[in-house]
């Protein structure tokens, strides 16, 4: 049998690495990094190399499923499933109005751009704005803080020519997500260190990235606002700022200076648990460099006061002048997007949350990033007009990923209609009325456009650092006999039956003549700087450099970046006034022994990957380990492999302990999106445990984004007996 080799890109995670796939007899048999890909240079991780196992997994859904009243699932042709879902949605809308219908787009809603467009168009078509996404339980503080601070039209300085860099609660060489561009991040970091980059890392865990740090601040979880205010105080106090940039482009420096004044090094040391001399050194190194950014990941954005944390990160970059200037070459102009203008000036954004439409729940606003996912369970459970009664999940898994799993579990069971588009019977799918079986990545054509569009949305070091794009053709057919579709086809099918107009960003879609995937790709790339046809000529991907694309001068009368926003500085004052306790708690009268922090494991991707044996070797008898410092284990009389109960103010989970000297004492470091429904708790060694259950969506949540405390969660840890199987 001949083996053919073809190029495409991996979509197991959002890094979209360029890969080569060996195909034998119409089946993908092997995946490796594409050494000729100019962006990734042959890099892949162990997850991407499992794409064949994922595609041909015995539990992969090759047919859509319908749940019978007794809880069992039976295959249903996808056309029939769409007929029935359309009918039930129409009935719900007729009786309760369109707001009763919600969508939740998750990890694999991002990977395929037509999914998002058709979800949005369908929802707009029926007249519902209940379009929730993973973004509001990810790093919503980034766009919110950016709005308060203002946006810089030319973008931030880049990693590849930086001489200083600060990583706050991000671990890019494992998460491949950002903070350092997620395209072969280890190699980028290695090269940067070789040219002399000075790296500051702030994390409660000595991460893989921290191993490479010049200064490592092992901060107490949740204390980033204090630490960053302390760093700013040093920068401003010692005048380590870019005075010219500030004079021309910034306002609010005096207000900021006053606001950080109470964050003395002594105070920071005591509260954030970082030696004063190290804080000083970090500030001097970062501000003393020529180019670089302070960047962050999910960790600090899951902790309290995340908007302030992100605001202070913006302020550090701004007072140090870490933005691209007039005349500089734009490092990453669009490829598959339309040409755009880059100006060396600030742009103001609206922060008028108060005048926006509010949810019924806790008066939370629907901001420009959509309604807050952390309130959706309550939108489902709270009676009255506007109650959400139908939910469609697109490449997402609320049971694994939403904070406050007990509430989520209750809510999902209270729905009149739950539909999920998923490749397997996930914990959410098991509760669904219909599961729609989608095609997998190697069975569909697409482009790297979503990653290109990332830059500027999430902040620093996001999106491609160069004008790169790749087109990935369809490489294999779905397994014989399969009835699988692309997610957009589901929404098109609903629109067709319900007579709902579909207006995407690429124009109106005919709801009687079904488009093709190729046609949609062409439409979404219409007017792009580089035509799709040209990109297709480069099967290994290509960097479409254009030295003529430069940063334009600012327009007269342009606004300034604002580092002194009253709302943010007022919240910083709240931080300063808060009591801080020796234990883990945030409130007086509460006593907790530890704080539990989020982390990523290389071998799983949120709730994906746990069914792939080669990924799970290390976790075969532990699930997602509860990593703790050996000092803590000794104190609690624990040994590796013991089962503990981890209890927050909201709920308790089991965890299997693993010693980890890289974790700060007093901290439990544990990955999310493991475990299953509460009845399966005793199977902790096999399924892991769901850390989301420890969060309380109704307590200590952010009043703008609604995000509850999802990291730096105060918990108590105690040894318990091995849970009895079947004993939930
Ligand atoms: N406690 C805690 N909670 C967290 C986090 C945390 O760190 N701690 N992280 C948060 C973050 S950052 C995020 S982004 C969210 C993620 O939240 P979700 O996106 O809801 O979670 P995932 O587990 O990624 O869900 C992806 C689902 O898509 C399915 N799937 C896999 N491939 C495909 C495909 O090709 N097509 C389709 N249609 N489906 C597919 C998978 O089987 C899985 O069920 O979780 C958040 N929740
Ligand atoms: N292998 C793998 N890759 C993934 C994912 C996955 O599940 N597995 N998930 C993907 C998703 S959805 C996302 S959003 C990205 C996230 O990408 P990252 O944000 O880089 O994710 P993490 O590796 O969890 O890094 C978060 C870091 O924050 C630290 N941290 C926790 N709490 C605090 C705190 O209070 N303060 C500070 N300073 N640090 C803290 C943790 O110790 C951890 O090192 O990763 C993506 N990539
Ligand atoms: S980092 Fe791994 S999972 Fe992510 S795209 Fe690359 S090979 Fe795939
Ligand atoms: Mo995420």
């Amino acid at each position: 049998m001949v083996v053919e080799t073809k190029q495409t890109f991996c979509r197991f995670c959002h890094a979209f690495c360029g890969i080569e796939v060996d195909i034998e007899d119409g089946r993908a048999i092997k995946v490796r990094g594409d050494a000729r890909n100019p962006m990734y240079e042959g890099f892949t991780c162990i997850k991407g190399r499992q794409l064949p196992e994922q595609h041909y997994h015995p539990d992969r859904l090759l047919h859509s499923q319908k749940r019978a009243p007794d809880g069992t699932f039976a295959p249903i042709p996808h056309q029939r499933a769409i007929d029935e879902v359309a009918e039930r949605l129409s009935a719900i809308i007729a009786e309760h109005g369109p707001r009763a219908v919600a969508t939740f787009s998750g990890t694999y809603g991002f990977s395929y751009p037509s999914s998002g467009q058709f979800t949005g168009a369908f929802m707009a078509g029926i007249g519902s704005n209940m379009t929730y996404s993973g973004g509001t339980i990810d790093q919503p503080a980034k766009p919110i803080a950016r709005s308060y601070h203002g946006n810089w039209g030319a973008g931030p300085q880049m990693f590849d020519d930086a001489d200083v860099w600060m990583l706050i609660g991000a671990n890019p060489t494992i998460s491949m997500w950002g903070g350092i561009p997620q395209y072969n991040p280890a190699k980028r970091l290695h090269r940067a260190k070789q040219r002399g980059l000075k790296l500051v890392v702030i994390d409660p865990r000595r991460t893989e990235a921290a191993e490479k740090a010049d200064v490592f601040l092992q901060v107490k979880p949740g204390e980033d606002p204090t630490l960053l205010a302390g760093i700013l105080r040093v920068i401003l106090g010692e005048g380590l700022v870019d005075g010219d940039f500030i004079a021309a482009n910034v306002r609010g420096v005096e207000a900021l200076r006053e606001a950080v004044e109470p964050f003395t090094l002594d105070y920071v040391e005591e509260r954030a648990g970082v030696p004063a001399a190290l804080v000083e050194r970090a500030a001097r190194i970062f501000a003393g460099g020529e180019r670089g950014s302070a960047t962050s990941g999910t960790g600090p954005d899951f902790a309290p006061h995340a908007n302030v944390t992100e605001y202070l990160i913006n302020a550090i970059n701004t007072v140090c002048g870490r933005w691209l200037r007039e005349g500089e070459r734009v490092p990453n102009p669009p490829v598959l997007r339309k040409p755009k203008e880059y100006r060396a000036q600030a742009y103001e954004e609206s922060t008028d949350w108060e005048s926006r439409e509010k949810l019924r729940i806790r008066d939370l606003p629907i901001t420009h990033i959509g309604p807050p996912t952390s309130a959706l369970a309550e939108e489902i459970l709270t009676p009255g007009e506007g109650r959400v009664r139908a939910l469609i999940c697109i490449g997402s898994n609320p049971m694994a990923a939403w904070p406050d799993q007990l509430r989520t579990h209750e809510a999902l069971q209270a729905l009149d209609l739950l539909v999920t588009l998923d490749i397997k019977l996930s914990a959410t799918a098991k509760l669904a009325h219909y599961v729609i079986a989608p095609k997998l990545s190697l069975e569909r054509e697409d482009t790297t456009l979503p990653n290109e569009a990332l830059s500027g949305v999430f902040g620093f070091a996001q999106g491609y650092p160069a004008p790169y794009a790749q087109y990935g053709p369809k490489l294999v057919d779905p397994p014989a006999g399969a009835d699988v579709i692309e997610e957009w086809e589901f929404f098109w099918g609903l629109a067709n039956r319900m007579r709902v107009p579909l207006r995407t960003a690429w124009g109106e879609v005919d709801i009687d003549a079904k488009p093709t995937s190729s046609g949609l790709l062409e439409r979404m790339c219409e007017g792009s700087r580089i035509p799709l046809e040209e990109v297709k000529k480069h099967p290994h991907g290509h960097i479409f450099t254009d030295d003529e694309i430069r940063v334009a001068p600012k327009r007269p009368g342009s606004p300034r970046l604002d580092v002194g926003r009253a709302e943010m500085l007022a919240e910083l004052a709240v931080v300063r006034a808060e009591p801080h306790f020796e234990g883990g708690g945030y409130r007086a009268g509460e006593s907790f022994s530890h704080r539990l922090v989020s982390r990523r494991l290389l071998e799983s991707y949120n709730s994906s990957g746990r069914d792939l044996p080669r990924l799970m070797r290390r976790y075969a008898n532990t699930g997602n380990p509860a990593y703790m410092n050996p000092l803590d284990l000794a104190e609690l009389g624990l040994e590796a492999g013991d089962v503990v109960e981890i209890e927050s103010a909201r709920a308790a989970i089991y965890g299997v302990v693993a010693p980890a000297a890289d974790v700060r004492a007093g901290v439990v470091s544990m990955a999310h999106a493991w475990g299953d429904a509460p009845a399966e708790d005793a199977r902790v060694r096999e399924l892991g445990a769901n850390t989301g259950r420890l969060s309380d969506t109704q307590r200590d949540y952010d009043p703008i984004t609604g995000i509850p405390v999802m990291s730096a969660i105060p918990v108590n840890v105690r040894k318990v007996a091995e849970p009895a199987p079947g004993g939930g």
Side-chain angles (χ1 to χ4, degrees):
M1 205 35 87
V2 262
V3 175
E4 255 188 308
T5 297
K6 289 190 173 153
Q7 292 77 33
T8 184
F9 58 99
C10 174
R11 274 147 279 182
F12 200 118
C13 95
H14 295 161
F16 287 5
C17 298
I19 53 173
E20 292 203 309
V21 185
D22 290 344
I23 299 160
E24 186 182 48
D25 203 10
R27 262 174 95 90
I29 54 166
K30 193 173 169 57
V31 167
R32 65 186 158 269
D34 180 359
R36 288 170 67 190
N37 185 297
M39 177 60 70
Y40 302 86
E41 303 179 56
F43 175 80
T44 52
C45 82
I46 187 174
K47 296 187 294 302
R49 296 192 293 271
Q50 308 304 307
L51 288 181
E53 284 73 8
Q54 183 202 37
H55 280 62
Y56 308 117
H57 196 285
D59 295 339
R60 177 183 169 193
L61 295 178
L62 297 177
H63 299 269
S64 295
Q65 305 286 317
K66 179 179 181 178
R67 184 160 56 91
D70 69 356
T72 60
F73 283 92
I76 175 172
H78 83 265
Q79 294 286 7
R80 267 266 308 288
I82 298 176
D83 289 340
E84 293 184 19
V85 171
E87 203 171 296
R88 291 177 73 168
L89 284 176
S90 298
I92 289 169
I93 293 170
E95 196 179 339
H96 303 289
R99 199 189 180 284
V101 179
T103 50
F104 175 64
S105 180
T107 300
Y108 296 92
F110 170 89
S111 314
Y112 309 110
S114 41
S115 295
Q117 279 298 325
F118 276 70
T119 307
F122 174 76
M123 291 295 278
I126 63 169
S128 172
N129 60 357
M130 291 291 100
T131 47
Y132 295 79
S133 83
T136 49
I137 47 167
D138 191 329
Q139 295 148 86
K142 288 182 169 64
I144 296 299
R146 184 57 63 79
S147 296
Y148 281 122
H149 168 270
N151 216 335
W152 185 254
Q157 292 176 348
M158 309 294 282
F159 182 79
D160 291 341
D161 63 357
D163 63 340
V164 288
W165 205 255
M166 190 187 289
L167 266 184
I168 306 151
N171 194 21
T173 58
I174 296 297
S175 68
M176 326 283 178
W177 160 250
I180 290 173
Q182 60 261 48
Y183 317 104
N184 202 340
K187 191 170 217 172
R188 274 171 209 282
L189 181 54
H190 178 72
R191 279 189 194 137
K193 291 302 294 178
Q194 279 188 327
R195 67 163 192 266
L197 177 102
K198 293 261 184 296
L199 178 67
V200 176
V201 172
I202 300 177
D203 203 296
R205 182 181 157 240
R206 184 178 287 274
T207 57
E208 288 71 3
E211 291 293 344
K212 299 267 187 307
D214 295 276
V215 183
F216 171 48
L217 308 180
Q218 196 163 26
V219 67
K220 182 169 177 181
E223 302 302 349
D224 300 275
T226 293
L227 176 56
L228 295 171
I231 288 176
L232 262 169
R233 188 176 181 277
V234 176
I235 293 174
L236 294 172
E238 299 187 1
L240 306 172
V241 298
D242 184 335
D244 294 340
F245 183 79
I246 291 176
N249 300 299
V250 185
R251 70 165 179 234
V253 176
E254 284 318 306
L256 178 67
R257 189 192 301 279
E258 258 173 60
V260 299
E261 191 49 36
F263 293 87
T264 61
L265 288 176
D266 286 347
Y267 177 78
V268 173
E269 173 164 330
E270 189 201 326
R271 176 164 179 178
V274 183
L278 277 189
V279 179
E280 207 165 37
R281 220 172 124 219
R284 286 178 185 156
I285 284 182
F286 182 77
E290 292 292 320
R291 295 176 78 86
S293 289
T295 69
S296 60
T298 46
D301 289 27
F302 289 151
H305 303 297
N307 298 341
V308 172
T309 298
E310 287 295 337
Y311 188 74
L312 294 175
I313 292 170
N314 275 278
I316 290 173
N317 286 317
T318 289
V319 299
C320 295
R322 298 296 162 74
W323 301 97
L324 294 182
R325 308 302 171 82
E326 178 182 340
E328 281 194 75
R329 189 177 68 85
V330 175
N332 57 351
V335 181
L336 288 171
R337 290 179 301 156
K338 293 189 175 64
K340 78 176 233 202
E341 188 184 74
Y342 294 81
R343 282 197 181 272
Q345 71 166 67
Y347 291 86
E348 267 169 3
E349 284 181 17
S350 166
T351 54
D352 203 2
W353 330 117
E354 281 312 305
S355 69
R356 289 182 194 246
E357 184 187 334
K358 298 285 182 73
L359 286 190
R360 301 182 307 144
I361 305 304
R362 288 178 269 130
D363 217 24
L364 290 164
I366 300 179
T367 67
H368 53 302
I369 48 173
T373 296
S374 56
L376 181 47
E378 289 158 86
E379 280 286 349
I380 294 166
L381 289 168
T382 308
E385 205 181 318
R387 176 175 186 176
V388 169
R389 292 162 191 273
L391 174 64
I392 305 173
C393 294
I394 306 103
S396 60
N397 189 359
M399 273 298 284
W402 285 3
D404 210 334
Q405 196 207 34
L406 295 179
R407 199 163 273 131
T408 302
H409 192 217
E410 192 187 341
L412 295 182
Q413 292 171 291
L415 285 163
D416 294 346
L417 177 64
L418 174 60
V419 180
T420 182
L421 292 91
D422 205 310
I423 62 167
K424 62 181 183 198
L425 277 186
S426 70
T428 300
K430 283 186 241 169
L431 304 173
H433 300 97
Y434 296 88
V435 187
I436 307 297
K439 286 188 181 163
L440 263 168
S441 53
L442 301 179
E443 298 156 356
R444 50 208 285 174
E445 61 175 324
D446 234 315
T447 71
T448 51
L449 182 66
N451 246 326
E452 202 183 301
L454 262 185
S455 58
V457 179
F458 267 98
F460 309 98
Q462 294 289 355
Y464 286 121
Y468 167 85
Q470 186 179 7
Y471 164 80
K474 179 187 123 178
L475 295 190
V476 294
D477 283 320
D483 171 26
V484 286
I485 57 173
E486 295 189 20
E487 292 80 357
W488 67 264
E489 297 182 79
F490 172 74
F491 287 101
W492 185 88
L494 289 180
N496 166 270
R497 288 154 178 82
M498 294 165 71
R499 312 312 300 158
V500 170
L502 283 181
R503 287 184 201 95
T504 67
W506 328 310
E508 179 111 18
V509 174
D510 190 332
I511 58 165
D512 290 306
K514 191 171 168 186
T516 63
S517 296
S518 315
L520 288 175
L521 276 189
E522 271 159 34
R523 274 180 84 175
M524 78 178 85
C525 297
E526 245 166 49
S528 59
R529 183 172 75 82
I530 309 294
L532 179 60
E533 279 316 305
E534 180 61 29
V535 173
K536 284 185 180 177
K537 288 180 194 155
H538 301 272
H540 302 276
H542 190 72
I543 295 175
F544 297 88
T545 311
D546 182 343
D547 286 337
E548 300 305 305
I549 302 177
R550 301 267 158 176
V551 177
K554 70 172 162 188
R555 292 210 173 81
S558 61
R560 286 168 173 262
L561 297 174
D562 193 347
V563 296
R565 272 302 282 257
E567 298 90 333
M568 292 286 93
L569 299 188
E571 192 173 338
L572 185 59
V574 169
V575 172
R576 183 62 177 77
E578 278 169 356
H580 55 282
F581 308 101
E582 245 325 288
Y586 297 113
R587 295 181 183 192
E590 283 182 349
S591 144
F592 291 98
S593 56
H594 291 71
R595 283 184 185 173
L596 180 136
V597 295
S598 59
R599 74 175 299 146
R600 262 88 190 138
L601 302 172
L602 182 65
E603 300 85 352
S604 63
Y605 196 67
N606 301 328
S607 66
S608 290
R610 282 162 43 197
D611 48 355
L612 297 170
R614 226 170 289 170
L615 297 181
M616 289 300 110
R617 275 183 197 150
R618 282 174 60 188
Y619 309 108
N621 200 31
T622 61
N624 49 337
Y627 291 104
M628 293 176 73
N629 191 287
L631 293 174
D632 286 353
L633 297 191
E635 199 175 311
L636 294 168
L638 290 167
E639 277 173 36
D642 282 350
V643 178
V644 287
E645 184 189 69
I646 303 167
E647 185 184 32
S648 71
R650 170 75 175 113
I653 58 173
Y654 292 126
V656 178
V657 164
D662 55 19
V663 176
R664 189 187 155 101
V667 174
V668 182
S669 166
M670 204 167 165
H672 67 292
W674 288 62
D676 204 293
E680 310 289 346
D681 281 3
R683 295 164 68 194
V684 58
R685 289 189 187 277
E686 176 195 346
L687 301 174
N690 186 266
T691 57
R693 203 182 297 169
L694 301 172
S695 293
D696 186 341
T697 50
Q698 297 182 342
R699 199 182 135 114
D700 297 336
Y701 58 87
D702 183 86
I704 301 169
T705 66
I707 196 166
V709 181
M710 291 165 62
S711 188
I713 306 171
V715 293
N716 285 313
V717 182
R718 67 183 180 95
K719 186 172 174 171
V720 290
E722 187 78 25

